[in-house]
Amino acid sequence: MAEKEIALLKKQQEKLTEKSFDLEAWKNQTTLFLQRIFGADHNIVKMIADLKYDYSSWTLRDATGNEKTDDPVKMQADEILEAAIMELENLGLPQQESSAEKAWELMEEELTGKQFKEIKAIIDSGKKNKLAKVQEVLNRLEKENLISILSRILIS
């Protein structure tokens, strides 16, 4: 299971109650941890990044007249972290796609079916000169295709 990750997120929950709490510093640190655990595109990461205090006149008026002791931003942050912990406890760590798998997926999107099958067959074969044969196939591709493949691999 994900004991280390859960312990890390619980520490972040504890930091919400510290007297010298700084939302932006806490968000930066928490976002780094969550990106490593769930990936940069996960909704939990985005929800933490979107946390902010609302200083509009309506919010300020409500806060002064209502005497709320609970900080709504801290409460929301705590609930988001609690959801992340529950996800880890019940579902475990998300499966991270390897770099090689991602590269193959991107290549499959950019190449024609025939080109992709040809490269895959060369890689899967037991022959010694795989590199030269793959380079030969890639050399036949148009420059735009190669640029697109390389840029998508780098961005991912």
PDB file of all heavy atoms in Angstrom, residues 119-132:
ATOM      1  N   ILE A 119       8.576  -0.770 -37.546  1.00  0.00           N
ATOM      2  CA  ILE A 119       9.519  -0.456 -36.462  1.00  0.00           C
ATOM      3  C   ILE A 119       9.354  -1.437 -35.315  1.00  0.00           C
ATOM      4  O   ILE A 119      10.334  -1.936 -34.757  1.00  0.00           O
ATOM      5  CB  ILE A 119       9.339   1.005 -35.988  1.00  0.00           C
ATOM      6  CG1 ILE A 119       9.802   1.957 -37.094  1.00  0.00           C
ATOM      7  CG2 ILE A 119      10.103   1.259 -34.695  1.00  0.00           C
ATOM      8  CD1 ILE A 119       9.552   3.409 -36.807  1.00  0.00           C
ATOM      9  N   LYS A 120       8.124  -1.746 -34.966  1.00  0.00           N
ATOM     10  CA  LYS A 120       7.851  -2.686 -33.871  1.00  0.00           C
ATOM     11  C   LYS A 120       8.431  -4.065 -34.200  1.00  0.00           C
ATOM     12  O   LYS A 120       9.021  -4.717 -33.335  1.00  0.00           O
ATOM     13  CB  LYS A 120       6.336  -2.772 -33.643  1.00  0.00           C
ATOM     14  CG  LYS A 120       5.928  -3.499 -32.419  1.00  0.00           C
ATOM     15  CD  LYS A 120       6.108  -2.620 -31.216  1.00  0.00           C
ATOM     16  CE  LYS A 120       5.415  -3.276 -30.034  1.00  0.00           C
ATOM     17  NZ  LYS A 120       6.110  -3.059 -28.801  1.00  0.00           N
ATOM     18  N   ALA A 121       8.290  -4.509 -35.439  1.00  0.00           N
ATOM     19  CA  ALA A 121       8.822  -5.811 -35.852  1.00  0.00           C
ATOM     20  C   ALA A 121      10.348  -5.832 -35.757  1.00  0.00           C
ATOM     21  O   ALA A 121      10.936  -6.836 -35.336  1.00  0.00           O
ATOM     22  CB  ALA A 121       8.375  -6.138 -37.283  1.00  0.00           C
ATOM     23  N   ILE A 122      10.985  -4.729 -36.126  1.00  0.00           N
ATOM     24  CA  ILE A 122      12.453  -4.653 -36.032  1.00  0.00           C
ATOM     25  C   ILE A 122      12.886  -4.738 -34.577  1.00  0.00           C
ATOM     26  O   ILE A 122      13.800  -5.484 -34.222  1.00  0.00           O
ATOM     27  CB  ILE A 122      12.975  -3.343 -36.676  1.00  0.00           C
ATOM     28  CG1 ILE A 122      12.734  -3.356 -38.190  1.00  0.00           C
ATOM     29  CG2 ILE A 122      14.455  -3.150 -36.370  1.00  0.00           C
ATOM     30  CD1 ILE A 122      12.954  -2.010 -38.863  1.00  0.00           C
ATOM     31  N   ILE A 123      12.225  -3.995 -33.702  1.00  0.00           N
ATOM     32  CA  ILE A 123      12.572  -3.984 -32.274  1.00  0.00           C
ATOM     33  C   ILE A 123      12.358  -5.365 -31.657  1.00  0.00           C
ATOM     34  O   ILE A 123      13.176  -5.840 -30.864  1.00  0.00           O
ATOM     35  CB  ILE A 123      11.732  -2.927 -31.508  1.00  0.00           C
ATOM     36  CG1 ILE A 123      11.975  -1.528 -32.052  1.00  0.00           C
ATOM     37  CG2 ILE A 123      11.989  -2.994 -30.008  1.00  0.00           C
ATOM     38  CD1 ILE A 123      13.358  -0.985 -31.868  1.00  0.00           C
ATOM     39  N   ASP A 124      11.265  -6.013 -32.013  1.00  0.00           N
ATOM     40  CA  ASP A 124      10.937  -7.318 -31.436  1.00  0.00           C
ATOM     41  C   ASP A 124      11.758  -8.463 -32.016  1.00  0.00           C
ATOM     42  O   ASP A 124      11.795  -9.542 -31.434  1.00  0.00           O
ATOM     43  CB  ASP A 124       9.442  -7.614 -31.608  1.00  0.00           C
ATOM     44  CG  ASP A 124       8.573  -6.669 -30.796  1.00  0.00           C
ATOM     45  OD1 ASP A 124       9.093  -6.063 -29.836  1.00  0.00           O
ATOM     46  OD2 ASP A 124       7.370  -6.535 -31.119  1.00  0.00           O
ATOM     47  N   SER A 125      12.421  -8.226 -33.136  1.00  0.00           N
ATOM     48  CA  SER A 125      13.205  -9.297 -33.767  1.00  0.00           C
ATOM     49  C   SER A 125      14.489  -9.550 -32.972  1.00  0.00           C
ATOM     50  O   SER A 125      14.927  -8.718 -32.187  1.00  0.00           O
ATOM     51  CB  SER A 125      13.549  -8.927 -35.210  1.00  0.00           C
ATOM     52  OG  SER A 125      14.544  -7.930 -35.239  1.00  0.00           O
ATOM     53  N   GLY A 126      15.071 -10.687 -33.196  1.00  0.00           N
ATOM     54  CA  GLY A 126      16.306 -11.041 -32.493  1.00  0.00           C
ATOM     55  C   GLY A 126      17.560 -10.634 -33.243  1.00  0.00           C
ATOM     56  O   GLY A 126      18.663 -11.036 -32.874  1.00  0.00           O
ATOM     57  N   LYS A 127      17.421  -9.852 -34.285  1.00  0.00           N
ATOM     58  CA  LYS A 127      18.568  -9.467 -35.104  1.00  0.00           C
ATOM     59  C   LYS A 127      19.464  -8.484 -34.373  1.00  0.00           C
ATOM     60  O   LYS A 127      19.039  -7.746 -33.495  1.00  0.00           O
ATOM     61  CB  LYS A 127      18.081  -8.880 -36.424  1.00  0.00           C
ATOM     62  CG  LYS A 127      17.297  -9.894 -37.243  1.00  0.00           C
ATOM     63  CD  LYS A 127      16.811  -9.293 -38.521  1.00  0.00           C
ATOM     64  CE  LYS A 127      16.004 -10.352 -39.284  1.00  0.00           C
ATOM     65  NZ  LYS A 127      15.427  -9.811 -40.501  1.00  0.00           N
ATOM     66  N   LYS A 128      20.731  -8.448 -34.794  1.00  0.00           N
ATOM     67  CA  LYS A 128      21.733  -7.615 -34.115  1.00  0.00           C
ATOM     68  C   LYS A 128      21.706  -6.154 -34.545  1.00  0.00           C
ATOM     69  O   LYS A 128      21.955  -5.276 -33.746  1.00  0.00           O
ATOM     70  CB  LYS A 128      23.132  -8.191 -34.354  1.00  0.00           C
ATOM     71  CG  LYS A 128      23.363  -9.504 -33.663  1.00  0.00           C
ATOM     72  CD  LYS A 128      24.770  -9.983 -33.864  1.00  0.00           C
ATOM     73  CE  LYS A 128      25.000 -11.294 -33.139  1.00  0.00           C
ATOM     74  NZ  LYS A 128      26.365 -11.770 -33.267  1.00  0.00           N
ATOM     75  N   ASN A 129      21.450  -5.880 -35.784  1.00  0.00           N
ATOM     76  CA  ASN A 129      21.569  -4.511 -36.298  1.00  0.00           C
ATOM     77  C   ASN A 129      20.227  -3.769 -36.251  1.00  0.00           C
ATOM     78  O   ASN A 129      19.834  -3.110 -37.204  1.00  0.00           O
ATOM     79  CB  ASN A 129      22.143  -4.524 -37.711  1.00  0.00           C
ATOM     80  CG  ASN A 129      21.341  -5.405 -38.646  1.00  0.00           C
ATOM     81  OD1 ASN A 129      20.452  -6.126 -38.221  1.00  0.00           O
ATOM     82  ND2 ASN A 129      21.655  -5.336 -39.931  1.00  0.00           N
ATOM     83  N   LYS A 130      19.562  -3.807 -35.101  1.00  0.00           N
ATOM     84  CA  LYS A 130      18.257  -3.160 -34.938  1.00  0.00           C
ATOM     85  C   LYS A 130      18.353  -1.647 -35.112  1.00  0.00           C
ATOM     86  O   LYS A 130      17.505  -1.040 -35.749  1.00  0.00           O
ATOM     87  CB  LYS A 130      17.681  -3.452 -33.549  1.00  0.00           C
ATOM     88  CG  LYS A 130      17.300  -4.882 -33.313  1.00  0.00           C
ATOM     89  CD  LYS A 130      16.758  -5.037 -31.897  1.00  0.00           C
ATOM     90  CE  LYS A 130      16.561  -6.495 -31.560  1.00  0.00           C
ATOM     91  NZ  LYS A 130      16.012  -6.660 -30.211  1.00  0.00           N
ATOM     92  N   LEU A 131      19.368  -1.053 -34.521  1.00  0.00           N
ATOM     93  CA  LEU A 131      19.510   0.395 -34.562  1.00  0.00           C
ATOM     94  C   LEU A 131      19.583   0.904 -35.999  1.00  0.00           C
ATOM     95  O   LEU A 131      18.880   1.846 -36.369  1.00  0.00           O
ATOM     96  CB  LEU A 131      20.746   0.834 -33.771  1.00  0.00           C
ATOM     97  CG  LEU A 131      21.007   2.327 -33.696  1.00  0.00           C
ATOM     98  CD1 LEU A 131      19.854   3.047 -33.013  1.00  0.00           C
ATOM     99  CD2 LEU A 131      22.304   2.605 -32.975  1.00  0.00           C
ATOM    100  N   ALA A 132      20.395   0.272 -36.805  1.00  0.00           N
ATOM    101  CA  ALA A 132      20.545   0.702 -38.198  1.00  0.00           C
ATOM    102  C   ALA A 132      19.238   0.549 -38.966  1.00  0.00           C
ATOM    103  O   ALA A 132      18.868   1.426 -39.760  1.00  0.00           O
ATOM    104  CB  ALA A 132      21.654  -0.099 -38.873  1.00  0.00           C
TER     105      ALA A 132
END
